[in-house]
Amino acid sequence: MLEEKNYQNRRINPQTWKRLLGYARPYRKKYAILLTGSMAAGIIDLIMSFMSMWAIDGFMYRKTTENIGLFAAAAFGLQILTASLTLLFVRSAGQIEAHMTTDIRRAAYLKLQTMSFSFFDNTSVGYLLSRLTNDISRIMEMVSWVCIDLGWSLMAVVASLIAMFAVNFKLALITVTAVPLIALLSVYFQKKILKYQRETRRINSMITSSVNEGIMGAKTSKTLVREELNCLDFTEITEKMYSASMRSAVISAVYMPLASIVISAVTGLLIIKGGRDVLGGLLTVGQLNFFINIGNMMFEPIRNFAGIFAEFQSCQAAAERVSDLLGAVSDIEDRPEVVEKYGDFFNPKKENWEPIKGEVEFENVTLRYKEGEDVLKNFSLKVRAGENIALVGETGGGKSTIVNTVCRFYEPQEGRVLIDGKDVRDRSQLWLQSALGYVLQTPHLFSGSIRENIRYGRLEATDEEVVEAAKLVGAHEFITKLEKGYDTEAGEGGSNMSTGQKQLISFARAILADPKIFVLDEATSSIDTEAELKIQAASEKLLRNRTSFIIAHRLSTIRNADRILVIDGGEIAEQGSHRELMARKGRYYELYMNQFRNERVRESVKILGQ
Ligand SMILES: Nc1ncnc2c1ncn2[C@@H]1O[C@H](COP(=O)(O)OP(=O)(O)OP(=O)(O)O)[C@@H](O)[C@H]1O
Ligand SMILES: [Mg+2]
């Protein structure tokens, strides 16, 4: 339930950063170079200030050009050094950012692969997308580039302080009085600026999602005549964006002049006091110039510090969200001893996987998605290996829940699900799922061609086998009618296939894998009558020697099932073969006759209409 958690906490929490900084470990050396380089740059800046002091006192004041060539060469050398250092650390920071972003994204992606169904029930795709893209980019940008600012600022402040006190104690004191003032101003304004920036970003994402919704939901909007309302909503959001951007601009505009006033006031004081000292012979013009320069030079790093602090604070929520995602624990996990024996998702030990026959048993299973609402209660069912089971019943009765439990997409709170007499929790998830073929109620096709999509079932399958599988489920015909046939793009943005057609493709994919247990969760009448007849014709062959669970909404599809279960309120209301149940004239008979009558009516209407 990551989404529901309140991430408003803006206090920097080292615990959160610790997990993220773990990803920096491989780049320790680069970080060390970065830090040293930026500190060196801080020192060079200070040396440059000293150089102008020497130039004024040594050449201008004494009106000589002795050794000026050497001096110029040294100054030039230092500039070259600064340029090279800048190149070095910009490169290192860029590399660190790119590498760490990739590493963390990969870790988060792998984490998502191992999460259970319930995690995705409670966490939206949009939420996860923003974590993987925006949040991670922001954090990584900060942790890599902040290092440069931090090294440079730290060195610049410390070195300047020491140098100032060494050159002239009184003037140093005057300069130092401005430090807390500038620091306070900076912290206050940087926080405000970031707050408004965050606000604009938030509104910006609202605009994006509103545009997205406007496009995706265009058809629905039109049918509901919602266009005007949508436009009003959109205008409201853009107005909010305008005022947030304005506020952010105004705050920035106030901060800079205020900081300049403080700096100028201090410079003025320095000139009054220092000028007197110069006239009195207590101070050289070069030294005074040094103070004026260094005063300016010190304020930049202080502002930087404030910026870094505010940035850290504003990244805290993003860091927490990403850190929580990386640390998320799936509520369906293989026990250590199971992983030890059968391997995990990424390192399966297939040599230890005994063949699965396909016997399925529910033993007093109680399952609930939410506390207090049992969907299955004390549910028991025994299915022989190779038996074809059909599940029928009213919507929301628990049919999908039953088959999802066989697949261990959800785990029961009480009771056990046994496959070949062994608790599903004693097998690794990968092992169980490799023995299963599942056509989901909402089929998903991956980006790639239809051919590739079917081949996902068994990667080493030949093109002929792919076509064979498609023919078997009756998908071949409609695929060949598409312009590019099997090479048609199938995923998002691909061809416009109906849910029924997508199901047929997933069906072919599932069959290609030759699973021992097969599940077909039919989308409510999404398969057209023609496709349905094809599946019906093929299914006898398809389902032979496989344990199967077919959830059908058209009862004519499942007449041949070995056993039909009428599911109602998470219980088996009735069971038996089609013939037995028809003879009993109970629930199934009623459902069947109803559907039969409805179809008849529909047909007559069609005939009348012609
Ligand atoms: N992921 C979930 N989280 C919370 N509740 C759920 C979830 N899935 C199903 N339910 C609830 O469990 C009950 C059974 O749902 P299930 O999907 O198993 O029914 P079904 O028989 O497959 O219905 P349909 O014929 O519409 O597919 C319903 O009340 C449903 O609201
Ligand atoms: Mg269902």
Side-chain angles (χ1 to χ4, degrees), residues 117-118 120-122 367-370 373-376 391-404 410 441 521-524 551-553 567-570:
F117 265 47
S118 59
F120 294 100
D121 287 344
N122 296 323
L367 185 142
R368 56 186 158 266
Y369 297 105
K370 290 184 207 94
E373 290 175 36
D374 291 352
V375 176
L376 301 179
L391 300 146
V392 301
E394 300 290 332
T395 180
K399 302 180 294 294
S400 298
T401 305
I402 294 172
V403 293
N404 284 338
Y410 297 95
Q441 197 161 5
D521 196 348
E522 187 187 288
T524 319
I551 300 179
H553 294 271
I567 304 295
D568 187 18

Side-chain angles (χ1 to χ4, degrees), residues 42-99:
I43 301 256
I44 293 175
D45 277 352
L46 183 70
I47 295 177
M48 296 296 257
S49 299
F50 270 111
M51 301 257 308
S52 28
M53 179 173 87
W54 293 327
I56 294 171
D57 289 347
F59 302 117
M60 286 167 61
Y61 219 63
R62 285 169 37 208
K63 297 202 170 61
T64 166
T65 51
E66 201 188 324
N67 287 334
I68 200 158
L70 199 68
F71 186 86
F76 185 68
L78 279 177
Q79 289 294 0
I80 296 280
L81 194 59
T82 311
S84 334
L85 278 173
T86 310
L87 188 78
L88 175 86
F89 54 64
V90 169
R91 220 188 80 178
S92 310
Q95 280 175 338
I96 292 178
E97 185 186 358
H99 280 130

Side-chain angles (χ1 to χ4, degrees), residues 115-319:
M115 294 312 285
S116 69
F117 265 47
S118 59
F119 175 80
F120 294 100
D121 287 344
N122 296 323
T123 321
S124 69
V125 176
Y127 178 87
L128 292 172
L129 275 180
S130 319
R131 302 303 65 87
L132 256 78
T133 53
N134 305 350
D135 276 358
I136 292 182
S137 302
R138 258 189 83 201
I139 300 165
M140 287 309 120
E141 195 185 314
M142 199 193 72
V143 294
S144 41
W145 295 93
V146 129
C147 213
I148 300 180
D149 274 350
L150 207 62
W152 178 78
S153 310
L154 200 71
M155 215 49 194
V157 170
V158 173
S160 307
L161 278 175
I162 295 173
M164 279 192 309
F165 280 99
V167 174
N168 186 299
F169 194 83
K170 275 191 190 147
L171 292 188
L173 272 184
I174 294 179
T175 317
V176 168
T177 48
V179 170
L181 259 175
I182 293 279
L184 276 177
L185 262 180
S186 302
V187 169
Y188 177 79
F189 278 98
Q190 299 275 23
K191 267 177 132 173
K192 276 238 172 312
I193 291 173
L194 268 166
K195 189 178 139 206
Y196 289 123
Q197 279 176 354
R198 200 160 54 220
E199 181 74 5
T200 41
R201 258 201 305 268
R202 195 177 63 83
I203 300 174
N204 199 24
S205 76
M206 274 164 70
I207 291 183
T208 319
S209 74
S210 174
V211 169
N212 189 24
E213 201 164 73
I215 299 169
M216 305 295 277
K219 283 186 190 159
T220 321
S221 296
K222 287 206 187 316
T223 54
L224 296 174
V225 203
R226 252 196 75 96
E227 290 97 322
E228 202 186 325
L229 268 179
N230 283 358
C231 288
L232 274 180
D233 289 350
F234 194 72
T235 316
E236 204 174 294
I237 303 175
T238 44
E239 267 164 14
K240 268 193 198 153
M241 180 73 176
Y242 172 81
S243 60
S245 307
M246 283 307 284
R247 267 198 301 261
S248 161
V250 168
I251 290 283
S252 299
V254 173
Y255 168 53
M256 285 304 194
L258 268 183
S260 290
I261 289 174
V262 174
I263 295 171
S264 306
V266 173
T267 314
L269 280 180
L270 280 175
I271 292 175
I272 296 172
K273 171 78 177 96
R276 276 201 197 119
D277 286 355
V278 170
L279 293 179
L282 294 169
L283 194 73
T284 68
V285 176
Q287 283 171 333
L288 177 59
N289 181 64
F290 170 80
F291 269 95
I292 295 170
N293 275 343
I294 211 163
N296 272 316
M297 200 183 112
M298 261 190 45
F299 297 130
E300 182 62 27
I302 293 169
R303 266 210 329 244
N304 263 343
F305 274 133
I308 293 169
F309 176 71
E311 184 75 36
F312 247 108
Q313 235 177 2
S314 93
C315 265
Q316 174 63 31

Side-chain angles (χ1 to χ4, degrees), residues 534-565:
K534 280 197 188 107
I535 290 191
Q536 215 175 327
S539 62
E540 210 174 310
K541 205 163 33 158
L542 287 177
L543 303 181
R544 199 179 299 149
N545 294 330
R546 282 186 230 283
T547 311
S548 66
F549 294 88
I550 310 288
I551 300 179
H553 294 271
R554 283 231 183 79
L555 301 181
S556 50
T557 337
I558 44 113
R559 255 187 307 221
N560 294 330
D562 295 326
R563 191 155 35 129
I564 297 169
L565 310 178

